[in-house]
Amino acid sequence: MNESPNPTASVTDARPVLAVSGLRVRYRTEEETIPAVRDVSLDLFPGEVLAVVGESGSGKSSVAHAILGLLPANAKLEAGTVSFRGRSLLDMPRNQLQQVRGEEIAMIFQDAQSALTPTLRVGEQLAELFESHRGASEDDARKAAVDVLKGLLADPLRVADAYPFQLSGGMAQRVMIGMATALDPSVIIADEPTANLDPAVRHETLSTLEGLRDQEDVSVLLITHDFGVVARLADRVAVMYAGEIVETADVRSIFRWPRHPYTFGLLQSLPDMHRPGRMATMPGHAPDLATLPPECPFLPRCNKATSQCRTEPAPRLMPVEGSDGEHMVACYNPIAVSLRGD
Ligand code: ATP
Ligand code: MG
């Protein structure tokens, strides 16, 4: 395995709850193989929100799915370790992993409607969690299910009796957050929790996520395109490009002085920092992962490239000078001036 430094390790002495190291995922299709995750390492510390940001196809969901053993059949986990409180998730027997997934690490999926079981009423789905994981009686499980909904929705009894198709998008989103958090997990992986939501629902969902963030000892791995969400929720940020983390820092440093030309470009292309839905997009195209050249994958879109960038292998993550190792960037010619000009 690759001996890359861990890009999202904090300088604090706290031990990570979740530690991912040297992760590599490749998908096989009939035409090609796609190296979707190329040596990703990250640490999630107790109580923090670590945002993983990047354009569509950069490998964010693949990282999340690999962590939780949810990769599809055509994916191969080629290398890497995932450690949760010191236990290896990748080597864990299936039944134990399922238990960890329900009780200790929860996943909030992007598409709430399709993540819920269509043939079961919402209350039954929630109650089932308490019955199977906590050994609750049917009555107690039902009460616990309604209690979860009470904290999230105005009409919990009606929602408990509804089938998923009878819920609005926003209600389904909150039910899913309720399901994910019902058993008080210490880690929540939220994959684009605010994508495709109208502004009012987005706002409510963000408030719910803020409530989770403010709970002590809950850590969130927040996957998003949306820098508004990053600004509101994240403590630290890891920027992904073409299957790799290319920059990581605390959230203030990322916004004030992004060092990678890709991060700089994403932030510069934001139309309005105070408008909802500020998506991570910029001119040019993400590279074809199946035919990546050995040099920096951002080279064709980069206006900072030097001859070193054209002749040497892709740069590795290195600490930014003067940052105590908390800010790291994979670039031979990082941005030399802050976005604010200081
Ligand atoms: P988005 O923001 O659109 O959700 P993402 O950053 O989550 O994107 P992934 O879904 O992890 O990106 O995809 C990374 C790469 O892997 C993409 O090129 C994608 O096309 C490819 N990929 C993902 N799932 C599969 C699959 N099941 N089979 C083949 N290729 C896949
Ligand atoms: Mg995704």
Side-chain angles (χ1 to χ4, degrees):
M1 197 191 306
N2 237 310
E3 294 292 317
S4 52
N6 191 331
T8 69
S10 161
V11 291
T12 65
D13 290 334
R15 287 162 63 117
V17 256
L18 186 69
V20 174
S21 180
L23 203 66
R24 289 180 184 272
V25 176
R26 191 179 285 270
Y27 294 101
R28 235 170 264 285
T29 68
E30 276 180 15
E31 298 82 37
E32 56 195 6
T33 73
I34 302 158
V37 180
R38 306 186 301 121
D39 193 15
V40 162
S41 299
L42 53 86
D43 280 338
L44 182 67
F45 288 91
E48 76 165 349
V49 179
L50 172 63
V52 178
V53 192
E55 288 170 308
S56 188
S58 55
K60 306 179 298 295
S61 296
S62 300
V63 170
H65 295 159
I67 290 171
L68 287 175
L70 296 173
L71 286 169
N74 70 327
K76 184 159 189 277
L77 191 73
E78 295 193 304
T81 57
V82 177
S83 166
F84 172 66
R85 299 194 184 286
R87 286 178 286 164
S88 166
L89 291 187
L90 302 183
D91 303 320
M92 208 173 255
R94 196 128 204 104
N95 58 342
Q96 270 181 40
L97 182 61
Q98 264 165 357
Q99 203 166 0
V100 167
R101 263 206 310 256
E103 296 182 20
E104 299 182 85
I105 308 179
M107 174 101 187
I108 297 173
F109 292 92
Q110 179 171 344
D111 185 355
Q113 288 281 6
S114 62
L116 296 169
T117 309
T119 50
L120 278 182
R121 292 177 199 273
V122 165
E124 291 168 336
Q125 297 189 42
L126 265 165
E128 210 274 324
L129 285 177
F130 291 101
E131 283 174 44
S132 62
H133 287 274
R134 293 278 157 84
S137 69
E138 209 175 299
D139 272 1
D140 287 349
R142 162 84 189 177
K143 280 195 200 106
V146 173
D147 279 348
V148 168
L149 296 172
K150 259 187 204 152
L152 294 166
L153 292 140
D155 197 354
L157 289 174
R158 193 174 66 78
V159 173
D161 285 333
Y163 287 97
F165 75 89
Q166 293 171 313
L167 304 176
S168 70
M171 286 163 112
Q173 191 78 10
R174 264 171 289 161
V175 167
M176 194 172 56
I177 292 175
M179 291 205 48
T181 54
L183 300 172
D184 296 325
S186 54
V187 170
I188 296 169
I189 300 179
D191 193 355
E192 304 278 7
T194 58
N196 309 318
L197 299 179
D198 65 50
V201 178
R202 177 180 178 278
H203 179 75
E204 284 167 19
T205 305
L206 274 174
S207 302
T208 308
L209 290 169
E210 269 172 345
L212 292 177
R213 179 199 57 189
D214 294 341
Q215 281 176 27
E216 250 175 67
D217 291 337
V218 174
S219 313
V220 183
L221 188 66
L222 174 70
I223 295 171
T224 184
H225 286 68
D226 186 335
F227 273 105
V229 175
V230 174
R232 207 162 138 178
L233 292 175
D235 298 304
R236 290 191 300 133
V237 182
V239 181
M240 276 192 83
Y241 189 74
E244 291 175 314
I245 293 177
V246 296
E247 179 161 15
T248 183
D250 67 279
V251 68
R252 285 190 60 213
S253 301
I254 287 283
F255 279 103
R256 195 176 74 83
W257 192 344
R259 305 296 181 127
H260 198 286
Y262 175 61
T263 318
F264 189 89
L266 287 178
L267 285 165
Q268 238 191 357
S269 64
L270 296 179
D272 175 356
M273 280 302 293
H274 300 286
R275 229 183 53 197
R278 297 163 288 260
M279 295 304 168
T281 55
M282 64 180 293
H285 297 286
D288 178 0
L289 292 170
T291 57
L292 276 179
E295 60 268 19
C296 176
F298 189 62
L299 182 62
R301 295 167 86 179
C302 189
N303 58 11
K304 297 278 297 167
T306 65
S307 58
Q308 187 181 14
C309 309
R310 292 175 224 286
T311 52
E312 294 201 16
R316 322 255 331 149
L317 272 169
M318 299 290 284
V320 166
E321 238 171 81
S323 74
D324 295 339
E326 281 214 89
H327 194 158
M328 299 187 83
V329 66
C331 180
Y332 291 124
N333 189 24
I335 302 289
V337 287
S338 86
L339 259 180
R340 288 202 325 221
D342 54 24

